Amino acid sequence: MAYVAIKGGAQAIANSEALFDYLRTREGETAQPLQTSSITHQLRLLHSRVLSEGGVYHPEAASLAIKQAQGDTLEAAFILRAYRSTLPRIAQTTAHNTLNMRLTRRISSAFKDIPGGQMLGATSDYQLRLLREQLRDENPENFRAVCRNWFADIAESDVPDCFPKVLAELQAQGLVAEPPQADPSADAFDITREPLSFPTTRSAALATMARAEQGALLALAYSNMRGYGDVHPTVAELRVGFLPVLLPHPITGKAMEVGEIEVTECEVVAMYQSPDQTSSGKPLFTLGYGACFGHNEVKAISMAILDRALQNGFEASPQNPSEDPEFVLLHIDGIDSMGFCTHYKMPHYVTFQSDMDRLRRAQKKIDSSETADNSHD
């Protein structure tokens, strides 16, 4: 039996797309469509993940992509990144100082007391992982009451929006190494316009990880923490908040605020460097850094761990996969890896036909050889 490439199937594809859309609406006539604003607020952590992996800060478009992809984060990020490719680049910001973040959450596992105090903010870190059955039949009145009650219990406060960095005190005491300094006159590596080449720069590595898939970052960082590496960090500071975006005024050139973006930033302190590796001749703690769009704490921490591991790889030959820049940076993009994986679902009729032909020839050759041997016997 022969297998050959076929043509057609356009109607089947159209029907498949229609069925995909039907499954979104099959609750029936009484169902209400999911609003993009509801996705932004009620599924905010899912929304943040897609926002980060899509690589463009557009909350409304990220919500629409999630709705269109029916909750598939990789597909939604793919849609968002495709949308990004259609947008013009109208300006470029200067480097932003995260000291100016309007914080909603700020913690340190290195110190109990930090300048300005710990701010737990919104987190599920201390909750029991038990199903909250009361959410099953949540009615609109109870839903709105949660918001009303929260604001009713909040008193006026003079807590500042901005706080000093925890690392500043460690740096003042000469306990941490200075982070690698880039050439201030050089532009950061733009991964959206230039292909990665190796050896690469730290800015290229950080930019690649900032829009990488969270699970991939976590898996590689976990491999380092588990023993295939030596980065066992302490979180000096984890910040979640809104960072003002500054652009030069078109006439005066003076930096002016045009908006703000939600970001998560993490700075970790890792094992110290030996005296022969530091400029001061003293052992110092090393640093790792991570930052990404949205509220993505696991991603930011994983990114900081891998940043430290990759710096080890930059400074010396990699000793494990998480220290190898080429291994890490070429395997953490969700769009790339998802595309390669799902392309195997597409027709491979011709190549598989070739594989079968080669296999049959090999089997026939062996059968002929065995027949010849038997005839000699």
Side-chain angles (χ1 to χ4, degrees):
M1 178 179 179
Y3 293 83
V4 296
I6 60 173
K7 296 181 179 179
Q11 186 59 50
I13 292 173
N15 290 342
S16 176
E17 292 175 352
L19 177 59
F20 186 81
D21 209 33
Y22 157 75
L23 293 177
R24 182 176 63 85
T25 64
R26 63 177 172 175
E27 282 184 277
E29 297 294 334
T30 60
Q32 296 294 322
L34 186 61
Q35 301 300 314
T36 55
S37 60
S38 298
I39 295 173
T40 302
H41 298 291
Q42 296 186 45
L43 302 176
R44 63 182 188 86
L45 298 179
L46 170 68
H47 178 265
S48 285
R49 180 168 178 172
V50 171
L51 194 68
S52 175
E53 295 174 15
V56 56
Y57 194 85
H58 195 315
E60 175 67 18
S63 296
L64 184 59
I66 292 170
K67 182 176 181 178
Q68 180 178 331
Q70 299 184 20
D72 185 330
T73 56
L74 288 171
E75 186 68 27
F78 195 173
I79 294 169
L80 189 60
R81 203 176 291 185
Y83 171 70
R84 181 197 183 283
S85 69
T86 68
L87 302 176
R89 176 174 294 190
I90 58 175
Q92 184 170 328
T93 70
T94 57
H96 286 66
N97 190 344
T98 53
L99 271 174
N100 300 323
M101 283 175 62
R102 178 170 61 85
L103 296 179
T104 58
R105 174 164 160 77
R106 180 222 191 195
I107 60 167
S108 171
S109 65
F111 302 101
K112 177 183 177 183
D113 298 312
I114 56 177
Q118 307 259 9
M119 181 190 293
L120 291 187
T123 181
S124 61
D125 289 350
Y126 314 103
Q127 297 178 9
L128 295 175
R129 269 58 177 188
L130 301 176
L131 284 174
R132 293 174 59 191
E133 293 293 341
Q134 63 269 32
L135 297 180
R136 189 186 302 276
D137 298 314
E138 190 176 28
N139 60 56
E141 179 55 34
N142 291 341
F143 181 83
R144 289 188 286 267
V146 173
C147 183
R148 285 198 305 269
N149 294 339
W150 169 255
F151 281 106
D153 294 337
I154 294 181
E156 290 292 330
S157 174
D158 57 356
V159 176
D161 288 335
C162 303
F163 296 85
K165 287 291 189 76
V166 173
L167 277 180
E169 181 61 27
L170 292 176
Q171 289 170 334
Q173 296 179 33
L175 297 178
V176 295
E178 288 294 325
Q181 298 298 317
D183 182 358
S185 62
D187 292 333
F189 190 94
D190 189 346
I191 61 170
T192 68
R193 296 194 171 191
E194 301 176 57
L196 277 175
S197 60
F198 298 92
T200 191
T201 62
R202 185 170 179 242
S203 70
L206 289 173
T208 301
M209 290 191 288
R211 69 173 194 173
E213 201 269 330
Q214 176 177 301
L217 288 174
L218 176 59
L220 288 171
Y222 186 52
S223 74
N224 193 294
M225 292 183 278
R226 281 276 297 167
Y228 292 90
D230 62 355
V231 180
H232 302 280
T234 301
V235 175
E237 188 170 9
L238 176 68
R239 291 175 161 227
V240 182
F242 293 87
L243 179 66
V245 176
L246 305 178
L247 285 174
H249 191 279
I251 298 176
T252 65
K254 184 179 179 181
M256 57 180 292
E257 183 176 337
V258 296
E260 60 181 10
I261 57 174
E262 186 179 28
V263 298
T264 303
E265 179 189 49
C266 180
E267 294 172 314
V268 301
V269 176
M271 296 298 290
Y272 54 80
Q273 290 178 318
S274 59
D276 59 331
Q277 294 178 298
T278 64
S279 58
S280 64
K282 300 178 181 179
L284 297 171
F285 284 123
T286 55
L287 301 176
Y289 182 80
C292 57
F293 287 154
H295 190 166
N296 286 285
E297 296 182 17
V298 169
K299 180 173 182 177
I301 295 171
S302 300
M303 182 177 169
I305 293 169
L306 286 176
D307 174 49
R308 181 61 252 162
L310 290 176
Q311 288 184 64
N312 292 341
F314 288 143
E315 294 163 3
S317 59
Q319 301 300 311
N320 55 71
S322 61
E323 291 182 355
D324 186 337
E326 188 168 350
F327 181 86
V328 171
L329 300 179
L330 293 182
H331 296 95
I332 56 176
D333 189 86
I335 310 305
D336 285 349
S337 55
M338 183 264 289
F340 210 129
C341 179
T342 58
H343 102 277
Y344 289 114
K345 297 187 293 183
M346 299 296 106
H348 284 66
Y349 309 134
V350 175
T351 55
F352 187 61
Q353 173 73 40
S354 176
D355 291 339
M356 288 195 300
D357 288 343
R358 288 198 302 271
L359 178 60
R360 286 171 178 146
R361 284 197 299 269
Q363 290 178 341
K364 186 176 181 179
K365 185 176 181 180
I366 292 174
D367 291 340
S368 300
S369 176
E370 290 177 348
T371 302
D373 291 342
N374 291 335
S375 64
H376 289 311
D377 293 340

